[in-house]
């Protein structure tokens, strides 16, 4: 089977049971994407497939022979970081770092969705999406961080989205009805 | 995961032919099926990959309404301008479910066929009539906080987990299928799901090898308000304890038409004409809303730790009706 990952063609002979995540980690040496729960609950395995963020643990490699796959390694490398990677570093958007590749791939995919005007559960008006902190939290709810670096993750994403500084906590809480 | 054969279908005829093999299952988004296969709750002998089938469009129908291809991802459906404009309850329900990553992969057809998240269905060390028919129900008398209070049987008290299907039920959706012999069926969503009875392992009227190709929605209700209200343990990314999908049209202070469906309460997206009859043609008053809740919950049966769902459903319905009627 041939796979297009991070702009390169990879050859691999794998069992049809192999998930896209295991293909990358166990067969191609692309260990940036992490296996947390392996059941689509934690988001650590998030990759961009044909431009869409998905849980790579919950799809079979064999189903993606003709997909364009981007992992954290394809977004950027040391010395040539993707703006989202750079923002996570500067805002300290992690502690242990295990969820970080998934967070970053998810955030990049998420901003693409906002760019397309896709609404979220936090959108009062489904036709006029404005990226607030409450929107970022809702849209990133598929990525868990057990170190709870969430405030800094939101800071990093907000900066890349060009949305300025952190909202006052009370204002953000009111927006989500807390 | 148990070994399985893999076949990739190019069109619907090929897909249904491939699916005639014993213990074959279709796979599209795979977000629920692969999860269950890893746990060996689902052990298909063959997967028929239908992701290459041309079932990914949302198209207007000549007679009004829209046809949603079975492979339209949940995220695309929720964001479609026509769906937002004419069927907002469906967008709202989709956006209230799962996570961004899952919605990008999960499909319209697959969402309808999600399996329950009952703890015991997932725990292969315990009896479960849905997973292993005849083995018993561990949830009755067990931990059942998230489980059903309506439509249950002595064999199973599982809930259907979908948000999307609840909105589809309120919208009177029709499920279009193709059978292995080439026949096509149009199944009203009210006839699509089966109550557990003595056979909780059989959840829909689909026959072996029958493929969902589309879901059709009737023309929109002009001038109606839409609502999807979901009560859950977390603000995001959690299944419904109780949810209400509503489409209500007012004529002055009187409820001119109402369709209401419920999630989190039953083994299927729930709808009961008596609930709507309690308010249609009548003034929008709290007394009438309470009568609607009485009608919804007349046969409700708590199992101990899910007793709270009965008053929660009452309050959620009444709050939803206030919002839908502008009261």
């Amino acid at each position: 089977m041939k796979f297009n990952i991070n702009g390169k063609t990879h050859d691999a002979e794998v069992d049809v049971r192999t998930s896209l995540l295991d293909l990358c980690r166990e067969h191609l040496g692309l260990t940036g994407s992490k296996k947390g729960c392996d059941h689509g609950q934690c988001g650590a395995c998030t990759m961009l497939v044909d431009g869409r963020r998905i849980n790579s643990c919950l799809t079979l490699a064999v189903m993606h022979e003709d997909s364009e796959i981007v992992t954290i390694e394809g977004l950027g490398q040391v010395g040539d970081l993707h703006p989202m990677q750079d923002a996570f570093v500067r805002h300290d958007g992690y502690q242990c770092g295990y969820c970080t590749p998934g967070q970053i791939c998810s955030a990049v995919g998420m901003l693409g969705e906002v760019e397309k005007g896709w609404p979220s559960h936090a959108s009062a008006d489904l036709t006029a999406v404005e990226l607030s902190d409450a929107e970022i939290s809702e849209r990133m709810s598929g990525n868990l961080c057990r170190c709870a670096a969430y405030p800094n993750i939101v800071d990093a994403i907000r900066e890349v989205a060009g949305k300025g500084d952190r909202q006052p906590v009370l204002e953000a809480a009111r927006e989500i009805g807390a | 995961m148990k070994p399985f054969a893999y076949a990739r279908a190019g069109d619907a005829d090929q897909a249904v032919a491939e699916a005639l093999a014993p213990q074959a299952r279709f796979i599209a988004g795979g977000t629920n099926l692969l999860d269950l296969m890893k746990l060996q709750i689902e052990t298909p002998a063959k997967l028929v990959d239908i992701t290459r089938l041309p079932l990914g469009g949302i198209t207007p129908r000549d007679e009004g309404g829209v046809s949603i291809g079975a492979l339209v991802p949940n995220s695309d459906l929720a964001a479609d301008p026509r769906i937002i404009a004419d069927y907002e309850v469906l967008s709202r329900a989709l956006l209230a479910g799962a996570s961004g990553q899952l919605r990008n992969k999960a499909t319209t057809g697959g969402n309808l066929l999600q399996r329950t998240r009952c703890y015991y269905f997932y725990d292969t060390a315990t009896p479960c009539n849905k997973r292993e028919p005849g083995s018993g129900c561990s949830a009755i008398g067990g931990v059942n906080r998230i489980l059903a209070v309506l439509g249950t049987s002595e064999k199973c008290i599982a809930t259907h987990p979908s948000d999307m299907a609840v909105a589809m039920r309120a919208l009177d959706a029709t499920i279009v299928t193709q059978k292995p012999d080439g026949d096509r069926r149009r199944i009203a969503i009210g006839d699509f799901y089966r109550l557990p009875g003595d056979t909780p392992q059989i959840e829909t009227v689909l026959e072996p090898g029958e493929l969902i190709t589309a879901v059709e929605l009737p023309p929109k209700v002009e001038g109606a308000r839409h609502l999807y209200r979901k009560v859950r343990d977390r603000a995001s990314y959690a299944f419904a304890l109780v949810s209400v999908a509503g489409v209500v049209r007012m004529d002055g202070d009187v409820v001119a038409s109402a369709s209401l469906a419920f999630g989190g309460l039953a083994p299927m997206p729930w709808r009961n004409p008596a609930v709507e009859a309690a308010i249609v043609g009548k003034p929008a008053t709290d007394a009438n809303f309470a009568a609607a809740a009485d009608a919804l919950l007349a046969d409700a049966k708590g199992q101990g730790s899910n007793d709270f769902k009965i008053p929660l459903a009452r309050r959620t319905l009444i709050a939803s009706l206030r919002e839908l009627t502008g009261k």
Side-chain angles (χ1 to χ4, degrees):
Chain A
M1 289 183 261
K2 284 193 194 311
F3 299 96
N4 176 354
I5 304 175
N6 301 330
K8 289 188 193 138
T9 303
H10 295 262
D11 278 299
E13 287 308 315
V14 295
D15 188 294
V16 291
R17 290 173 289 182
T18 310
S19 69
L20 178 57
L21 175 63
D22 285 345
L23 169 77
C24 290
R25 285 187 56 84
E26 308 295 334
H27 298 270
L28 303 178
L30 295 166
T31 55
S33 308
K34 297 295 185 276
K35 183 182 282 193
C37 67
D38 209 24
H39 287 276
Q41 297 173 4
C42 74
C45 67
T46 304
M47 295 180 187
L48 297 164
V49 174
D50 298 324
R52 302 164 71 95
R53 54 176 173 155
I54 67 163
N55 300 113
S56 65
C57 74
L58 279 189
T59 194
L60 297 173
V62 67
M63 297 174 75
H64 290 284
E65 278 185 287
D66 47 9
S67 301
E68 267 185 41
I69 297 155
V70 176
T71 68
I72 190 71
E73 292 92 340
L75 278 184
Q77 292 288 337
V78 176
D80 182 23
L81 293 180
H82 185 279
M84 191 66 78
Q85 292 171 313
D86 183 54
F88 266 67
V89 171
R90 283 184 293 98
H91 287 279
D92 202 16
Y94 48 79
Q95 187 173 313
C96 81
Y98 196 80
C99 72
T100 311
Q103 297 276 3
I104 290 173
C105 286
S106 184
V108 170
M110 183 273 281
L111 291 185
E113 294 163 8
V114 173
E115 191 80 11
K116 285 191 281 185
W118 284 11
S120 85
H121 178 66
S123 310
D125 179 349
L126 297 183
T127 62
V129 171
E130 188 62 41
L131 194 67
S132 62
D133 285 6
E135 283 275 2
I136 293 173
S137 297
E138 162 61 27
R139 291 167 186 269
M140 292 296 292
S141 70
N143 290 85
L144 306 187
C145 171
R146 286 199 65 180
C147 308
Y150 297 113
N152 296 359
I153 291 171
V154 173
D155 284 352
I157 296 171
R158 185 192 318 103
E159 183 192 281
V160 176
K163 294 290 177 188
D165 293 333
R166 184 182 294 188
Q167 264 184 307
V169 171
L170 282 176
E171 191 184 313
R174 272 195 296 274
E175 255 183 60
I176 61 170
Chain B
M1 211 183 280
K2 298 265 191 194
F4 55 84
Y6 170 83
R8 193 179 288 157
D11 59 38
D13 290 340
Q14 200 188 341
V16 292
E18 292 278 7
L20 273 180
Q23 293 181 278
R25 296 291 305 267
F26 297 115
I27 186 164
T31 53
N32 189 208
L33 181 58
L34 289 170
D35 178 30
L36 294 168
M37 287 171 65
K38 289 181 183 195
L39 298 166
Q40 300 193 7
I41 294 163
E42 295 261 16
T43 53
K46 179 179 183 180
L47 287 184
V48 181
D49 180 352
I50 57 168
T51 53
R52 270 66 167 184
L53 271 56
L55 303 174
I58 303 171
T59 49
R61 300 169 64 221
D62 293 341
E63 53 274 68
V66 292
S67 177
I68 302 161
L71 293 176
V72 174
N74 289 175
S75 46
D76 299 63
L77 184 57
D80 186 272
R82 293 158 295 183
I83 300 298
I84 291 172
D86 294 349
Y87 309 98
E88 185 179 343
V89 63
L90 178 57
S91 286
R92 291 280 179 196
L94 285 158
L95 294 171
S99 66
Q101 290 96 317
L102 289 168
R103 289 192 295 272
N104 273 340
K105 205 75 172 100
T107 62
T108 305
N111 191 318
L112 291 171
L113 300 178
Q114 277 188 83
R115 310 296 306 277
T116 185
R117 265 51 172 206
C118 175
Y119 316 115
Y120 300 101
F121 178 69
Y122 266 79
D123 181 357
T124 52
T126 60
C128 168
N129 285 322
K130 191 184 277 297
R131 174 168 36 75
E132 198 180 331
S135 62
C137 175
S138 306
I140 296 173
V143 179
N144 49 46
R145 185 172 176 278
I146 62 169
L147 300 175
V149 295
L150 290 167
T152 58
S153 74
E154 290 175 3
K155 298 288 169 62
C156 184
I157 60 170
T159 41
H160 194 271
S162 172
D163 293 294
M164 183 198 81
V166 179
M168 294 282 199
R169 183 102 205 246
L171 290 168
D172 287 309
T174 298
I175 292 143
V176 185
T177 70
Q178 181 170 337
K179 294 208 269 189
D181 62 9
D183 271 7
R184 287 163 191 276
R185 286 210 281 174
R186 299 179 76 255
I187 307 165
I189 192 166
D191 300 326
F192 183 73
Y193 293 103
R194 289 171 44 127
L195 286 176
D198 289 333
T199 53
Q201 73 278 15
I202 305 172
E203 296 171 356
T204 71
V205 298
L206 289 179
E207 295 171 14
E210 189 168 7
L211 174 73
I212 297 175
T213 56
V215 177
E216 295 175 351
L217 300 180
K220 71 164 174 171
V221 180
E222 294 290 343
R225 258 192 216 197
H226 288 228
L227 166 147
Y228 189 75
R229 182 181 286 243
K230 179 173 179 177
V231 183
R232 45 182 159 174
D233 284 327
R234 292 189 298 268
S236 185
Y237 200 14
F239 290 96
L241 294 168
V242 174
S243 71
V244 178
V247 180
V248 167
R249 186 169 61 83
M250 296 296 289
D251 183 2
D253 288 335
V254 173
V255 177
S257 74
S259 61
L260 298 161
F262 302 87
L265 296 176
M268 59 167 71
W270 194 255
R271 192 162 170 191
N272 178 346
V275 178
E276 294 154 12
I279 56 168
V280 171
K282 299 174 187 172
T285 63
D286 274 358
N288 290 334
F289 299 163
D294 289 341
L296 171 68
L297 298 162
D299 298 325
K301 185 182 172 208
Q303 302 282 345
S305 46
N306 70 351
D307 290 349
F308 75 99
K309 283 194 176 188
I310 297 171
L312 182 62
R314 163 175 288 275
R315 291 177 193 148
T316 308
L317 173 56
I318 291 172
S320 299
L321 289 174
R322 285 180 185 151
E323 191 172 331
L324 280 162
T325 59
K327 284 286 153 186

